Amino acid sequence: MKPFRLWGAWLGTAAAVLGLMLPLGAGHSQAAAAVPYGQLKVQGADLLGESGQRVQLRGMSSHGVHWYGDLVNPGSLKWLKEDWNSNLFRVAMYTAEKGYITDPSVKEKVKEAVQAAIDLGLYVIIDWHILTDGDPNTYKTQAKAFFQEMAALYGQYPNVIYELCNEPNGNVTWAGQIKPYAQELTQAIRAIDPDNIIIVGTPNWSQDVNQAADSPLPYGNIMYAAHFYAGTHGQWLRDKIDYARSKGAAVFVTEWGASDASGDGGPFLREAQEWIDFMNSRGISWANWSLADKEETSAALLPGANPSGGWPASQLSASGHFVRSKLRESLVSVPAAPAGLKAVAGSGQAALSWNAVNGATGYIVKRAAVSGGPYTTVAELTGTSYTDTGLANGTTYYYVVSAKNAAGTGPASAQVSVQPAAGQGGGGTPVPGSLVLQYRAADTNAGDNAIKPHFNIRNTGASPVDLSGVKLRYYFTKDGTQPLSFTVDWAQVGSPNVKGTFGSASGAGADTYLEVSFTGGSIPAGGQTGEIQTRIHKSDWSSFQESGDYSYDPGKTSYADWSKVTLYRDGTRVWGVEP
């Protein structure tokens, strides 16, 4: 559940509050293109994709769109994606320098760029580009209104990243000016968009990331900006970045150039390569400055370059040649075969799980009746677990899994076999009793700020079952140290009769379990509890990453028997397999 993201109602309210005209579908594609890594999440010092893999975003930053906005359009972004292999674009909207504060209509170019990125499947940074207005609080009121509008328009898309202040500078400090500003704007954005990445500029033209790391913002999915120019900034700044990462701060290089800090001089390509190697080795995402045809070293294009893309080598600067070559070195390759495929038998079902594959955006599960195939596809999904139901007990089934991404489908995993049998709760271990646990995933967004497992317990026996002796356990990873909260949104047996506590677990995809118990009620012979709608969230509402969680299965959007949630009756496990 995303408690703040009630989009239909909210957008209407936002339109009234902000004076927006938001006709549904106006200027929008019928369907947004899929982004390569889905919903992004920050975990420690790393940026992760929806499947839990480490992600490095790379691409170009515009120059000020009120000067070079003609180069920012669907055609140029399409060329950056398809020819340069960019997966990111940064839209730099200057606030001062006769930018947005002087002419608020500049934001229309930002909207054009964001919508083009959504249509193309690019991640996009919306950059509030302060420079001569070195204190971000100078135009805080305008910044807050701007980001509220952007969040209302685009916060439902996983593409969007917010950069709250480009380069704080002058007599400003992290504690005195930048952090309080960032806290207020983050709260404003999070009230609308609870999970997209927010990047915060750091002191001294976004160089002192160490100061932010020593006093980070108390929110999830926050990153800190570091900027460098290869002719000016060297090992000392890389050391600051490494220090920040060692403290658990996620760093995003939202601006760098092959020139010196003036934007000219050089190009310093040897020093730029040192930085590229550094960022690649740590998985640090970056945007190069800049998509402009200005007569300066850091501009990627020569004067007169085609505004709509399709640039031949003759229209690229030395910096443009270098950056394009670095982007194309990392063209997406077909993912490797998944490792660690396991199959757990249940009654009439097989529960499969495997390890996430770096660079994969999804998986294909195939089944065969004989060893070695031929195989038939039974599921395509983004998670790393799947339960195949409706199987015949006593029959052996054979499975392989392949990973896929934009480059294609990779090789199949090693084959596993499994034989479902009556009376099994999974793992080949017979379990006594007549209780069956059914589960559905009420929230299939694996990277948002709540886990919503719903349950139903069936009594297949001939006698009623007293619920006061029944407990169930749902296994997951808590992704951090924040305290956890349990809520019953609704239960047919009566919400006050349902209680939840948390305990420690171990095993693949589980360091924590939710234990649901009952203070009263019973299940009649042949009956069921009916829906039990539960929800888990953190005290600060930061995000989880459910992909790979032991009990999570986004494919179960309707109730189905599920052996990865365990049931206990009077202390004895009567259903399911513990991790």
Side-chain angles (χ1 to χ4, degrees):
M1 175 180 176
K2 297 175 186 263
F4 306 115
R5 190 174 283 189
L6 304 175
W7 287 105
W10 197 94
L11 284 171
T13 303
V17 172
L18 299 173
L20 304 177
M21 295 296 291
L22 300 176
L24 291 177
H28 290 244
S29 297
Q30 292 299 310
V35 283
Y37 304 109
Q39 182 69 52
L40 301 175
K41 172 189 176 179
V42 174
Q43 183 169 300
D46 291 324
L47 181 63
L48 304 182
E50 192 166 316
S51 297
Q53 75 274 40
R54 191 170 77 168
V55 167
Q56 185 184 26
L57 302 182
R58 294 186 281 196
M60 293 298 299
S61 172
S62 75
H63 204 300
V65 292
H66 68 304
W67 291 317
Y68 296 95
D70 61 321
L71 290 162
V72 179
N73 56 71
S76 63
L77 268 64
K78 185 173 187 287
W79 186 254
L80 287 172
K81 176 185 178 180
E82 295 180 353
D83 184 73
W84 289 41
N85 193 40
S86 297
N87 57 21
L88 171 75
F89 188 73
R90 178 184 187 236
V91 193
M93 187 187 73
Y94 278 70
T95 51
E97 291 82 36
K98 299 184 179 179
Y100 177 77
I101 300 303
T102 302
D103 180 9
S105 71
V106 170
K107 70 182 176 184
E108 298 308 316
K109 176 56 71 171
V110 176
K111 293 177 184 179
E112 179 186 349
V114 173
Q115 189 59 49
I118 291 169
D119 293 341
L120 291 164
L122 287 169
Y123 292 96
V124 59
I125 298 174
I126 300 173
D127 167 34
W128 183 258
H129 200 89
I130 70 168
L131 194 60
T132 58
D133 48 332
D135 183 348
N137 296 282
T138 302
Y139 300 116
K140 180 176 69 175
T141 300
Q142 294 93 327
K144 187 174 180 180
F146 172 78
F147 280 113
Q148 285 174 320
E149 180 178 353
M150 293 299 108
L153 286 169
Y154 305 114
Q156 69 269 41
Y157 297 103
N159 310 63
V160 174
I161 299 169
Y162 310 96
E163 187 172 3
L164 302 187
C165 46
N166 166 61
E167 290 184 350
N169 63 84
N171 190 28
V172 296
T173 65
W174 176 253
Q177 288 81 27
I178 305 170
K179 185 177 181 180
Y181 163 87
Q183 286 178 309
E184 185 170 341
L185 263 72
T186 297
Q187 290 168 1
I189 292 170
R190 285 290 182 248
I192 305 167
D193 179 351
D195 51 12
N196 278 335
I197 303 299
I198 293 174
I199 303 172
V200 184
T202 55
N204 192 23
W205 290 274
S206 285
Q207 294 169 49
D208 292 341
V209 289
N210 53 308
Q211 293 184 23
D214 285 335
S215 181
L217 292 169
Y219 312 106
N221 290 345
I222 300 292
M223 303 185 78
Y224 301 94
H227 291 181
F228 73 84
Y229 284 82
T232 302
H233 308 105
Q235 187 59 47
W236 59 270
L237 182 51
R238 291 192 284 271
D239 289 343
K240 285 187 175 184
I241 293 172
D242 273 341
Y243 172 82
R245 287 173 51 80
S246 74
K247 300 281 285 187
V251 175
F252 199 128
V253 175
T254 57
E255 182 178 317
W256 71 270
S259 64
D260 61 30
S262 72
D264 224 332
F268 300 92
L269 300 184
R270 181 182 63 81
E271 293 82 359
Q273 185 62 55
E274 286 186 62
W275 274 103
I276 291 287
D277 294 341
F278 171 80
M279 292 186 291
N280 287 350
S281 67
R282 289 152 178 80
I284 295 174
S285 298
W286 54 259
N288 175 256
W289 185 268
S290 65
L291 186 67
D293 59 356
K294 185 179 181 182
E295 290 186 351
E296 66 177 11
T297 305
S298 59
L301 305 177
L302 296 177
N306 184 353
S308 299
W311 308 297
S314 61
Q315 292 184 1
L316 303 184
S317 68
S319 175
H321 278 288
F322 177 79
V323 175
R324 177 178 180 270
S325 71
K326 296 301 108 178
L327 288 166
R328 287 176 62 83
E329 282 177 359
S330 60
L331 283 168
V332 175
S333 58
V334 172
L341 178 61
K342 297 178 182 178
V344 178
S347 179
Q349 65 181 27
L352 307 173
S353 62
W354 56 92
N355 298 335
V357 177
N358 188 39
T361 57
Y363 300 92
I364 300 173
V365 181
K366 295 184 176 182
R367 182 183 70 209
V370 295
S371 180
Y375 295 99
T376 300
T377 297
V378 294
E380 295 192 29
L381 66 161
T382 58
T384 55
S385 63
Y386 173 73
T387 298
D388 195 14
T389 58
L391 305 179
N393 289 329
T395 299
T396 300
Y397 297 88
Y398 302 87
Y399 293 90
V400 294
V401 176
S402 301
K404 64 178 183 177
N405 61 17
T409 301
S413 67
Q415 177 183 274
V416 297
S417 62
V418 64
Q419 187 180 89
Q424 288 186 333
T429 304
V431 293
S434 57
L435 295 181
V436 175
L437 188 286
Q438 295 187 319
Y439 155 85
R440 77 178 185 97
D443 179 0
T444 58
N445 185 337
D448 64 12
N449 57 12
I451 299 174
K452 287 192 65 178
H454 289 185
F455 307 109
N456 178 45
I457 304 172
R458 295 173 50 230
N459 177 11
T460 62
S463 303
V465 174
D466 182 2
L467 275 174
S468 63
V470 175
K471 296 180 179 180
L472 68 85
R473 288 183 179 179
Y474 178 91
Y475 300 89
F476 64 101
T477 54
K478 60 184 177 181
D479 302 315
T481 59
Q482 291 293 328
L484 299 171
S485 296
F486 169 77
T487 301
V488 181
D489 290 324
W490 185 79
Q492 189 170 321
V493 297
S495 298
N497 292 326
V498 183
K499 305 298 178 185
T501 58
F502 297 98
S504 297
S506 61
D511 57 24
T512 306
Y513 63 78
L514 164 67
E515 184 174 86
V516 176
S517 59
F518 305 87
T519 59
S522 65
I523 313 175
Q528 58 189 10
T529 59
E531 280 201 290
I532 304 166
Q533 299 180 3
T534 69
R535 173 163 45 93
I536 304 165
H537 68 83
K538 301 180 188 180
S539 60
D540 65 348
W541 285 100
S542 58
S543 296
F544 293 96
Q545 180 47 256
E546 295 180 73
S547 296
D549 281 4
Y550 182 77
S551 295
Y552 175 65
D553 184 356
K556 287 186 168 53
T557 55
S558 299
Y559 281 108
D561 297 356
W562 186 222
S563 62
K564 288 193 173 183
V565 177
T566 52
L567 267 178
Y568 304 84
R569 185 177 181 187
D570 298 325
T572 299
R573 179 165 58 94
V574 296
W575 173 269
V577 181
E578 297 170 343

